[in-house]
Amino acid sequence: MTRTDRQILHIALPSIVSNITVPLLGLIDVSIVGHLGAASYIGAIAVGGMLFNMIYWLFGFLRMGTGGLTAQAYGRHDLQEVTRILLRSLSISLLLALALLLLQYPIRNIAFMCMDTSKEVRQLATLYFHICIWGAPATLGLYGFTGWYIGMQNSRFPMFIAITQNIVNIAASLFFVFVLKMKVEGVALGTLVAQYAGLGMACLLWLAYYRPLRKYLRQKALFDRMEMKRFFQVNRDIFFRTLCLIAVTVFFTSTGAAYGDVVLAVNALLMQLFTLYSYFMDGFAYAGEALTGKYIGAKDNQSLRLTIRHLFKCGIALSLLFTLLYGAGGKSFLGLLTNDTSVISASEEYIYWVLAIPLAGFSAFLLDGICIGATATRVMLRSMLVASASFFLLYYGFHTTLGNHALWMAFIVYLALRGIVQGGILYRMPHTNLHRQV
């Protein structure tokens, strides 16, 4: 194993562990209310969890933009700017969180207008929402800390934070629900406590390991006009790119529902295979983000070129491994998720699309990370616009003849085009410092 491979894995492996722990927060909540004896409790947690996933997904730019900018400042050994980036990110996170708290009632009303739920589920989901929304400052603040730690080439701290959140969530939720006899509100409070425990851990880790940076906290020009302009330009592109991603994801789910409950269930289960793959590829994308930013900041083009080559070798190897695993055990994996024979039987018609996901999508993940590290976020946005437009055009062009197969075909092409278009644009843009290195 080369030094470059070790650097990649040093960042990728803890990131993969962190990614895998993320869905555990929602799974723990569902598991606890699943033992309370009413399906409405599960429905309320599912609706509330989905709503927060959509809200916080929109603010993912806080993590990505912070990570790329921090990595470049780290590569330049500009500790003053490294510290300023964290403070800018946390300040903007707090302002956005305050906006969410102030607008929580109109946000809730608009969200529930788009959801067809029973009266009981809506009442319980409303209760869950108005408790968990107070976790917005912690959640958005953690986005800033996570991006900053990754930019500092330290993916272990986000892993420690994620593990802390899960442990606290389990303990607090069990205490509130089974000791204090609270129900949905107990689960919501457990989640809320876990979010602030994660933020507290992030702060403690910073104070323990980055204490020397405190001297830069008193420096002027924290909100330097040019640096703030760059910060918002980077995050603006990521924000609009995320909107496109959400549009495709929501359309995929809602359109699958039009083909009936069985097809909807099949699509949902098969997408779990994509999600599992994405947890691993995102780990390598984070490594690409951190290392690309560092080497661009240091103006070390040789190390940058070598890192990108090794990232793609890792990506291809991992994609082939997942293709083989899904080909050999995909149906068995679905059997672990459901015992509904009708769903398992129907999945046989579509599972072959899943085999195309790893090789079609790996370059999109890796190039996303590389572009974030290079702060070439406009490239990400352009490629997403092209890929998203192609997704909708393909589906509407073939859905009358292919049905649900058209949906999967459009999704596979969408994944592939994200990588192809990003690579093509970067190849023609020497000023990004990535010319002929992708």
Side-chain angles (χ1 to χ4, degrees):
M1 183 180 294
T2 67
R3 176 175 174 270
T4 302
D5 290 326
R6 286 195 296 271
Q7 286 181 320
I8 291 171
L9 293 177
H10 178 74
I11 298 172
L13 294 180
S15 298
I16 290 169
V17 174
S18 299
N19 291 339
I20 291 174
T21 64
V22 168
L24 288 179
L25 284 170
L27 183 61
I28 291 163
D29 290 350
V30 172
S31 299
I32 291 174
V33 297
H35 291 83
L36 295 181
S40 58
Y41 295 139
I42 299 176
I45 297 299
V47 169
M50 180 184 68
L51 179 55
F52 280 109
N53 286 339
M54 298 296 288
I55 292 172
Y56 292 139
W57 204 356
L58 282 173
F59 297 107
F61 62 83
L62 290 168
R63 189 213 67 74
M64 291 183 276
T66 302
L69 293 169
T70 301
Q72 290 189 20
Y74 177 86
R76 296 193 303 271
H77 302 290
D78 188 348
L79 297 181
Q80 186 178 62
E81 182 60 19
V82 159
T83 311
R84 289 175 178 172
I85 290 169
L86 176 61
L87 290 178
R88 288 179 196 130
S89 181
L90 293 178
S91 299
I92 293 167
S93 297
L94 180 60
L95 290 174
L96 291 172
L98 289 175
L100 288 176
L101 292 175
L102 291 172
L103 298 172
Q104 60 180 284
Y105 289 97
I107 290 172
R108 182 206 67 190
N109 292 335
I110 293 171
F112 284 122
M113 283 175 58
C114 304
M115 298 181 187
D116 184 15
T117 63
S118 67
K119 183 178 180 180
E120 185 177 6
V121 167
R122 178 168 296 201
Q123 289 176 340
L124 292 171
T126 298
L127 176 62
Y128 180 87
F129 174 82
H130 284 301
I131 293 174
C132 287
I133 191 65
W134 290 96
T139 300
L140 298 186
L142 278 173
Y143 282 1
F145 268 115
T146 299
W148 190 83
Y149 283 135
I150 290 173
M152 296 293 286
Q153 320 297 299
N154 183 353
S155 60
R156 293 180 300 112
F157 282 8
M159 179 181 69
F160 296 155
I161 293 166
I163 292 172
T164 298
Q165 281 187 288
N166 280 286
I167 292 173
V168 172
N169 189 36
I170 293 171
S173 295
L174 289 174
F175 176 77
F176 289 131
V177 172
F178 295 110
V179 177
L180 298 185
K181 304 302 180 183
M182 303 171 81
K183 294 182 179 179
V184 167
E185 62 269 35
V187 172
L189 284 171
T191 300
L192 184 65
V193 170
Q195 289 167 335
Y196 280 98
L199 181 63
M201 175 62 76
C203 293
L204 288 174
L205 290 170
W206 193 91
L207 289 172
Y209 290 89
Y210 295 98
R211 188 179 299 270
L213 296 180
R214 288 189 303 170
K215 63 184 178 183
Y216 298 113
L217 296 177
R218 295 184 294 273
Q219 298 291 332
K220 296 180 179 180
L222 172 60
F223 297 103
D224 176 79
R225 182 179 177 182
M226 292 304 298
E227 292 298 334
M228 287 299 293
K229 181 180 179 181
R230 185 184 181 209
F231 187 89
F232 280 110
Q233 283 177 338
V234 167
N235 288 308
R236 177 199 61 199
D237 294 338
I238 298 174
F239 175 79
F240 286 114
R241 174 242 183 211
T242 303
L243 283 179
C244 294
L245 195 153
I246 290 175
V248 170
T249 303
V250 171
F251 182 86
F252 186 96
T253 302
S254 60
T255 304
Y259 293 105
D261 290 346
V262 172
V263 171
L264 174 62
V266 168
N267 285 356
L269 292 178
L270 293 180
M271 282 302 287
Q272 294 304 308
L273 296 175
F274 168 71
T275 301
L276 178 62
Y277 169 73
S278 72
Y279 291 151
F280 284 82
M281 284 307 306
D282 269 338
F284 287 92
Y286 291 168
E289 172 186 332
L291 295 171
T292 297
K294 182 178 78 170
Y295 292 132
I296 286 178
K299 298 182 179 179
D300 185 352
N301 289 330
Q302 182 178 359
S303 295
L304 174 62
R305 182 164 52 249
L306 188 63
T307 296
I308 292 174
R309 287 178 180 174
H310 281 258
L311 276 170
F312 271 80
K313 289 179 181 178
C314 291
I316 292 171
L318 190 63
S319 298
L320 290 173
L321 176 61
F322 268 87
T323 301
L324 292 173
L325 289 175
Y326 288 165
K331 294 178 183 178
S332 299
F333 180 79
L334 295 181
L336 296 175
L337 300 177
T338 182
N339 57 3
D340 189 323
T341 55
S342 63
V343 172
I344 294 175
S345 177
S347 69
E348 295 180 1
E349 183 179 350
Y350 301 101
I351 197 168
Y352 299 103
W353 288 110
V354 176
L355 299 181
I357 285 176
L359 289 173
F362 82 93
S363 62
F365 284 96
L366 294 179
L367 286 170
D368 278 348
I370 291 167
C371 284
I372 290 170
T375 60
T377 50
R378 182 57 56 88
V379 176
M380 295 172 63
L381 176 59
R382 289 176 180 173
S383 65
M384 181 61 80
L385 288 172
V386 172
S388 299
S390 300
F391 171 84
F392 290 107
L393 287 172
L394 274 173
Y395 173 73
Y396 282 111
F398 292 93
H399 76 285
T400 55
T401 54
L402 297 179
N404 192 53
H405 286 288
L407 194 61
W408 278 102
M409 178 182 68
F411 183 72
I412 298 299
V413 172
Y414 152 84
L415 281 179
L417 277 179
R418 280 172 55 190
I420 292 170
V421 175
Q422 279 187 94
I425 295 175
L426 289 172
Y427 189 83
R428 293 174 176 82
M429 294 175 64
H431 61 278
T432 63
N433 290 324
L434 293 171
H435 182 50
R436 300 186 184 276
Q437 294 175 19
V438 177

